Amino acid sequence: MLARRITTYAIKRSFLKRSQQWHIRQRQMFSTAPAANPPSTHAAVLGGITTELDRLAPRIDLRADQIEILEGPSDFYNTLKNKIKLAKKRIYLSTLYIGKSEHELVSCIQQALQQNKDLKVSILTDALRGTRETPEPSCASLLSPLVVDFPDQVEIRMYHTPNLTGLRKRFIPKRINEGWGLQHMKLYGIDNEVILSGANLSSDYFTNRQDRYHMFSSKRVADYFARIHYTMCRVSFLLEPSITSGKYRLVWPGDNAAPSPLEDPKSYVAATTELFKPLIATSTPSQAPSSSQNTAFNTAIFPLLILPRSLNNELPALQSLLSTPLPYGASYFFTAGYFNPDPAITASLLAASSNLQASSDNQSPISTTVLTASPWANGFYGSKGVSGMLPPAYTLLSRRFLHAATQTAPGAVTLREWRRGTVGLMDGWTYHAKGLWLTLPSPATSRTQKTDKSAMATPPPSLGPSVTIIGSSNYTVRSYSLDVEVGAIVVTTNSGLQERLRKEEENLLRYSKVVTEEDLKGGERRVGWRVRVAMWIVRIAGGSL
């Protein structure tokens, strides 16, 4: 068994090595050096941020009241069902998978289709995850009846990675083959609204798996992400009903916009890249809206997209945010359910925290809070085999991060772990949220000269974050090398939205506590040699957790 696992990792080594080489070139191309003197006003800081983002992503201006932040899984599920039932023209759902037992959700879609013959439904999932249980019930077999009952209204597409072909696809077990790449986008669009999230569509994400959910009530925003969704559908397999035991078959339509990834993966990647390039093209100065053009627009979103080994504007955008010169009292909050950030993200977080914020006579490091799942809130907790080693592996990575933070930014970085019960027990939750928030000090305080060292010890108050990133990416090497991801950066000057973003932070922090390097060393947190050996094998094989 161990030999087979080592062989499996070795197969991945060659591809991941090439992916990481491309990834390094991307870092070098987009790296941004911080300025020496931080701006002193909100307008100056946010102006600098949006100027940089305008170089990296398209921009859509909107009002802050067009963004609703949902709090938890039940809010997400109830909102999604209610919106689907009232849909008039379109429903588009991009997700990793829909749980094979989500009959209630499918029933909501059926109800909406029966009530409105003009309604069109498009669903995009991942082919590997969506068919893994075949010939037993699966995501694909759950959705197939929709096509049977509403052939003129429903289309089901399944993306297949171009990285798993030939002998790899034939011999790698289904349980682990998704390690070669997935459709990982989460877009839930209904008419002129769209929810961006990191949540999939299954029972745990609707009940006891904490994530993030931002709903945008804007036709421009919904239309933009619909273009992302439908473009990916044009380069994905089509699900057709079948009388076979699996109840479906996947076909590659002749009018698709690229050759099949299973037959010509290189040409598939090239064609797909050209299709998506215009969708993340930046606006020219004459095209980019400004606040002076419409004072009702107090918020902007900058869409982010990752196509493996070809397009990635998320990493340079995130690095740009973390290298922004900031005034005294600013802070970062970063969260990831699986604490294994890409090395470029880790380096940027540590560099941002070690930067000194200067007032007239004093300096202090930028405060950074990092939140991740505790082992007891990790979805792999209690799993058998290699996957059961993942929670302690993340513990070791957290400890190494804290050690590095102590060396580079003493006192600036706080690590917190989220736990709400224990996975597998009654009332136990898992943690799956990810994102970044940037909070600036209140304008009045940032104009005040801080000369009293005792005053410097207490950060000035703020309404809440002015910037956040929302989306599907986990910010890992895998996210940037293997998976298809989508998200957005939200920048706002509106105090109401800043307050809602602050409450979102507080909601995530509610079930967390501070952990130190010492906390992660001994007792039940001690990481055994088997975990270390397994991590070493993955590393030398070119893999990633």
Side-chain angles (χ1 to χ4, degrees):
M1 180 65 71
L2 179 59
R4 189 180 74 176
R5 289 172 183 149
I6 293 174
T7 302
T8 300
Y9 285 129
I11 296 172
K12 295 173 66 177
R13 183 177 185 178
S14 174
F15 166 72
L16 280 171
K17 183 176 181 180
R18 295 194 302 271
S19 298
Q20 290 166 350
Q21 288 172 345
W22 167 83
H23 185 50
I24 291 170
R25 292 196 299 271
Q26 292 291 299
R27 296 179 204 163
Q28 293 170 341
M29 184 182 303
F30 291 108
S31 61
T32 305
N37 298 315
S40 59
T41 67
H42 275 210
V45 175
L46 296 181
I49 288 173
T50 55
T51 297
E52 285 298 306
L53 293 178
D54 280 332
R55 294 175 47 247
L56 300 170
R59 172 177 176 168
I60 304 174
D61 284 358
L62 67 164
R63 303 187 314 275
D65 62 8
Q66 292 176 281
I67 302 176
E68 181 180 355
I69 301 174
L70 307 177
E71 184 172 312
S74 60
D75 293 333
F76 168 55
Y77 188 39
N78 290 331
T79 298
L80 186 64
K81 289 189 297 180
N82 291 337
K83 296 295 182 181
I84 287 173
K85 290 176 181 178
L86 298 175
K88 300 300 182 184
K89 293 184 177 181
R90 67 180 177 187
I91 297 173
Y92 63 91
L93 307 175
S94 299
T95 187
L96 174 59
Y97 66 99
I98 297 178
K100 60 186 178 182
S101 60
E102 295 307 316
H103 300 288
E104 183 182 35
L105 179 62
V106 172
S107 177
C108 288
I109 297 174
Q110 290 172 328
Q111 179 181 336
L113 289 164
Q114 290 168 349
Q115 292 175 348
N116 186 352
K117 299 303 180 182
D118 294 327
L119 178 64
K120 302 294 184 182
V121 175
S122 174
I123 300 176
L124 170 68
T125 75
D126 182 75
L128 298 177
R129 177 63 72 88
T131 63
R132 188 169 67 186
E133 298 91 346
T134 303
E136 300 300 321
S138 65
C139 169
S141 64
L142 174 75
L143 298 177
S144 180
L146 285 175
V147 183
V148 174
D149 296 338
F150 306 95
D152 298 326
Q153 292 176 265
V154 175
E155 183 178 81
I156 311 296
R157 294 281 185 152
M158 290 194 165
Y159 166 91
H160 193 292
T161 175
N163 305 323
L164 187 70
T165 61
L167 293 177
R168 285 180 182 173
K169 183 171 178 63
R170 182 176 179 182
F171 291 109
I172 293 174
K174 286 185 177 182
R175 185 65 182 86
I176 62 172
N177 64 8
E178 63 191 55
W180 275 258
L182 294 170
Q183 191 305 105
H184 202 247
M185 298 189 299
K186 285 73 186 268
L187 295 171
Y188 306 122
I190 298 95
D191 291 333
N192 294 329
E193 296 179 307
V194 61
I195 298 174
L196 268 63
S197 179
N200 294 303
L201 301 180
S202 63
S203 59
D204 51 345
Y205 290 95
F206 299 153
T207 54
N208 59 358
R209 191 165 176 82
Q210 182 65 55
D211 216 299
R212 298 177 66 206
Y213 332 85
H214 285 202
M215 184 168 68
F216 299 83
S217 299
S218 161
K219 186 177 187 301
R220 289 187 65 204
V221 175
D223 284 351
Y224 175 86
F225 287 108
R227 290 173 63 198
I228 296 286
H229 169 90
Y230 288 111
T231 300
M232 188 57 71
C233 287
R234 293 175 60 202
V235 291
S236 298
F237 282 91
L238 176 69
L239 183 146
E240 291 185 347
S242 171
I243 60 174
T244 63
S245 58
K247 298 183 180 180
Y248 70 90
R249 64 173 183 157
L250 297 181
V251 300
W252 192 260
D255 59 353
N256 266 10
S260 167
L262 299 181
E263 296 178 2
D264 191 350
K266 289 185 179 179
S267 296
Y268 174 86
V269 171
T272 302
T273 300
E274 291 305 311
L275 281 174
F276 278 97
K277 272 184 180 178
L279 297 183
I280 60 170
T282 58
S283 303
T284 63
S286 60
Q287 294 172 325
S290 66
S291 57
S292 60
Q293 292 173 322
N294 190 333
T295 56
F297 292 152
N298 47 34
T299 301
I301 74 162
F302 297 85
L304 305 173
L305 178 70
I306 302 172
L307 292 184
R309 292 192 296 157
S310 61
L311 300 175
N312 182 353
N313 67 343
E314 179 183 280
L315 177 59
L318 204 157
Q319 289 178 304
S320 176
L321 285 178
L322 290 172
S323 63
T324 299
L326 299 175
Y328 168 73
S331 63
Y332 291 110
F333 174 40
F334 175 82
T335 189
Y338 308 118
F339 192 73
N340 184 29
D342 181 277
I345 302 301
T346 300
S348 295
L349 281 169
L350 294 175
S353 302
S354 62
N355 287 339
L356 295 180
Q357 311 164 101
S359 66
S360 60
D361 296 325
N362 297 276
Q363 291 183 325
S364 67
I366 295 174
S367 171
T368 300
T369 298
V370 176
L371 175 64
T372 189
S374 81
W376 298 274
N378 187 298
F380 296 102
Y381 178 77
S383 296
K384 296 180 180 179
V386 174
S387 59
M389 297 183 183
L390 287 172
Y394 292 130
T395 290
L396 184 59
L397 292 170
S398 296
R399 197 175 88 198
R400 290 173 178 172
F401 172 78
L402 274 180
H403 181 75
T406 302
Q407 302 300 311
T408 60
V413 178
T414 300
L415 179 66
R416 304 182 71 97
E417 287 188 340
W418 191 97
R419 181 180 183 182
R420 187 174 178 182
T422 299
V423 177
L425 300 182
M426 185 177 294
D427 299 326
W429 285 50
T430 54
Y431 185 77
H432 197 249
K434 45 260 189 178
L436 177 75
W437 296 254
L438 168 59
T439 301
L440 301 175
S442 64
T445 306
S446 63
R447 290 194 298 266
T448 303
Q449 296 296 308
K450 293 289 182 179
T451 58
D452 182 0
K453 290 185 178 181
S454 63
M456 291 292 291
T458 303
S462 174
L463 292 171
S466 297
V467 183
T468 191
I469 301 180
I470 177 75
S472 63
S473 172
N474 286 311
Y475 312 118
T476 62
V477 170
R478 172 178 175 149
S479 294
Y480 295 151
S481 302
L482 297 171
D483 295 342
V484 178
E485 309 278 9
V486 73
I489 297 179
V490 179
V491 182
T492 186
T493 60
N494 179 264
S495 60
L497 181 53
Q498 291 170 358
E499 174 69 14
R500 296 199 297 277
L501 288 170
R502 182 185 63 79
K503 290 181 178 179
E504 181 185 39
E505 282 186 322
E506 291 176 348
N507 178 55
L508 295 177
L509 289 168
R510 185 187 312 167
Y511 296 99
S512 72
K513 70 174 184 178
V514 175
V515 292
T516 65
E517 192 176 349
E518 290 299 317
D519 293 332
L520 303 179
K521 282 185 177 180
E524 58 186 343
R525 302 305 299 273
R526 182 176 177 275
V527 179
W529 67 268
R530 289 183 178 85
V531 173
R532 295 172 185 268
V533 169
M535 293 175 68
W536 175 77
I537 292 173
V538 172
R539 185 170 66 252
I540 65 171
S544 177
L545 297 180

